Amino acid sequence: MRSIWNGAISFGLVSIPIKLVNATESHSISFRQIHNEDGGRIRYRKVCELEDREVTQSEIGKGYEDADGTIIPITDEDLAQLPIPTAKTIEIVAFVPADRIDPLQMDAAYYLAASGAPAAKPYTLLREALKRSNKVAIAKFALRGRERLGMLRVVGDAIAMHGLLWPDEVRAPEGVAPDTGVTVRDKELDLADALMDTLGEVDLEDLHDEYREAVEEVIAAKAAGEAPPEAPEPAAGGKVLDLMAALESSVRAAKESRGEHAEVRPLPERKTARAAPKQTGGKKSTSTAATSAAAKKAAAKKTTASSARKSTAKSTQGGTKKTAASKSTAKSTAGKSTAAKKPAAKKSTTSRKRPA
C-alpha cells in the first residue's frame, strides 16, 4: 500500500518511525460528465485569470484568500517549518477508555506501518501496551494543511489511527428530536422488542452494496446493446395510521423472510409497578359481594352433601354391625338351650329305670 504521510509516533521519549497508509477504499462507481448531444467528455481546465491561459500542474501552488480578496501565497516549505511538533509527528497526549470516544467524532481511518527494522521493537511495544491496557491513545497530528485529532487502537497485529473531529466540530442535536409530547405504550415497546429479536443479528461480512451491483447490471446491459433491467415495483408507502398494526406486520414479514411461521400472537401484558386501588370503605363492590356469596353457597352445598354421605355410610356400617351381633347372640342362646335340654333328658331316663 502506498503511504500518504511519513513521520514518527511520539510515545513519551520513544520515537517510532512510521508510514501512514489509507485503511479504507471506495468501491463506488464514478461517472464522467459528457455532452448529451454527441457523448463528448466535459473536462475542467485550469486557467490563470490574469494571463487567461491554461496552466500545468507544476505551475500551480496554494494561497490564502484574505477578507479583501488579496491572495497570500503559502508554500510547502512554509508549512513544513510550522513551529508545532505535530508537523511531522503523531504526538500521543493521553490514553483513555474506548467508550469515551463519541462515534460522531470518527473520521477517516489509516494504518500505521513501521518504517524500517529499527521501528519494529518500539512499534510492537506500543501495540502490546495498548492491548494490555484496553485503552486507546489520543494523538495530535498535522495532515493536508491542518492539525488534526486522532485515536490509535490495535487492529489485528497492526496499529490503526482514526481521524477525529475536534469536539467543537460536532454539532449538538438541537431541534432534531420531536418537540411534541409523545407517549409510547408498553405493548408498542413489546412489539418493537419482538421485531428486533426477529431481525436478530447479522454478520457484517454478509452485507454488500446492492445499489452498486444494480448500476453495474445497467452498465453491462447497455454496453451489450440490451435494455436495462426493469425496476421492481416500489413498496406501498403512505402514512402509518396504526402503529401497532405496522409493528405486527413488520414482525410477520421479518419471520416470513427468515422462513419462520408468521404468526403474531398478542403478547402478555407486563406487570406494572402501579398498585391496585385500595378500598376506601368497609363495603365491597356489588360484583365482589355476589361472587363471594355464590362461592359460600357452593361451599355450603358441598359440605352438606359430604356430611350426608358420611352419615349414611356410618349408619349403614352401624346397622350391619348390629345385625351381625344379633345373629351371634341368637346362635349363642340356641346353643345354650340345647345343651341345657340334654342333661334334663338323661335325668328323666335314669329315674324310669330304678326299681320301686
Side-chain angles (χ1 to χ4, degrees):
M1 291 184 283
R2 186 176 62 87
S3 63
I4 61 173
W5 185 89
N6 294 330
I9 300 175
S10 175
F11 179 32
L13 297 178
V14 178
S15 181
I16 311 171
I18 57 97
K19 296 179 179 180
L20 193 69
V21 298
N22 285 317
T24 61
E25 58 185 3
S26 175
H27 291 164
S28 61
I29 298 175
S30 59
F31 298 99
R32 304 294 186 186
Q33 290 185 335
I34 62 172
H35 188 197
N36 288 331
E37 293 185 2
D38 53 19
R41 285 282 305 275
I42 303 297
R43 297 181 182 273
Y44 291 99
R45 289 187 170 89
K46 297 178 180 180
V47 176
C48 175
E49 293 181 349
L50 297 180
E51 298 182 10
D52 194 20
R53 69 176 181 87
E54 185 176 355
V55 296
T56 62
Q57 185 63 36
S58 60
E59 298 177 272
I60 300 175
K62 60 174 67 73
Y64 175 79
E65 185 176 2
D66 208 349
D68 59 0
T70 304
I71 300 295
I72 303 173
I74 301 293
T75 65
D76 292 337
E77 289 76 14
D78 295 333
L79 297 178
Q81 296 175 3
L82 291 174
I84 57 173
T86 57
K88 278 291 182 181
T89 304
I90 299 175
E91 182 184 10
I92 295 177
V93 296
F95 293 88
V96 300
D99 57 7
R100 287 270 304 276
I101 306 300
D102 190 338
L104 286 174
Q105 289 184 255
M106 294 290 188
D107 203 357
Y110 310 93
Y111 286 132
L112 304 181
S115 181
K121 182 65 178 288
Y123 185 97
T124 304
L125 171 65
L126 176 58
R127 183 191 66 198
E128 295 304 313
L130 288 171
K131 281 184 181 179
R132 192 165 71 171
S133 67
N134 290 323
K135 292 182 178 181
V136 296
I138 302 301
K140 296 169 68 177
F141 65 103
L143 182 66
R144 298 190 179 99
R146 70 186 186 95
E147 189 174 56
R148 302 166 184 255
L149 198 62
M151 178 189 75
L152 277 63
R153 69 183 183 97
V154 178
V155 177
D157 291 332
I159 298 176
M161 181 173 70
H162 296 268
L164 299 178
L165 299 175
W166 296 98
D168 59 358
E169 292 180 318
V170 179
R171 300 171 62 184
E174 296 177 357
V176 177
D179 56 357
T180 57
V182 177
T183 302
V184 178
R185 296 178 294 171
D186 286 342
K187 289 185 177 180
E188 294 168 341
L189 281 174
D190 292 341
L191 277 173
D193 290 341
L195 177 58
M196 293 168 64
D197 293 338
T198 303
L199 292 176
E201 299 182 358
V202 66
D203 186 354
L204 295 181
E205 298 292 334
D206 296 335
L207 300 179
H208 56 278
D209 189 350
E210 297 181 6
Y211 180 84
R212 176 171 60 87
E213 293 176 354
V215 172
E216 289 175 347
E217 290 181 3
V218 171
I219 294 173
K222 299 198 74 172
E226 302 174 354
E230 296 182 0
E233 290 293 331
K239 295 182 179 180
V240 179
L241 300 180
D242 189 343
L243 183 57
M244 290 291 289
L247 287 169
E248 290 175 354
S249 300
S250 300
V251 173
R252 187 178 297 109
K255 287 187 175 182
E256 289 176 352
S257 66
R258 296 167 67 94
E260 299 177 9
H261 182 56
E263 179 182 358
V264 181
R265 297 180 179 179
L267 296 173
E269 294 187 5
R270 291 181 175 178
K271 293 182 180 180
T272 60
R274 292 177 293 181
K278 296 181 180 179
Q279 297 289 343
T280 55
K283 296 181 181 181
K284 297 183 179 179
S285 62
T286 306
S287 59
T288 306
T291 304
S292 178
K296 288 182 178 179
K297 287 181 180 180
K301 288 182 180 180
K302 289 182 180 179
T303 304
T304 304
S306 177
S307 300
R309 286 195 298 271
K310 290 181 180 178
S311 178
T312 304
K314 288 181 179 179
S315 177
T316 304
Q317 292 176 358
T320 303
K321 290 180 180 179
K322 288 180 180 180
T323 304
S326 300
K327 290 181 179 180
S328 177
T329 304
K331 287 181 180 180
S332 178
T333 305
K336 290 179 180 180
S337 176
T338 304
K341 287 179 180 180
K342 286 183 179 181
K346 288 183 179 179
K347 289 181 180 180
S348 176
T349 305
T350 305
S351 62
R352 287 196 197 101
K353 289 183 179 181
R354 287 179 181 177

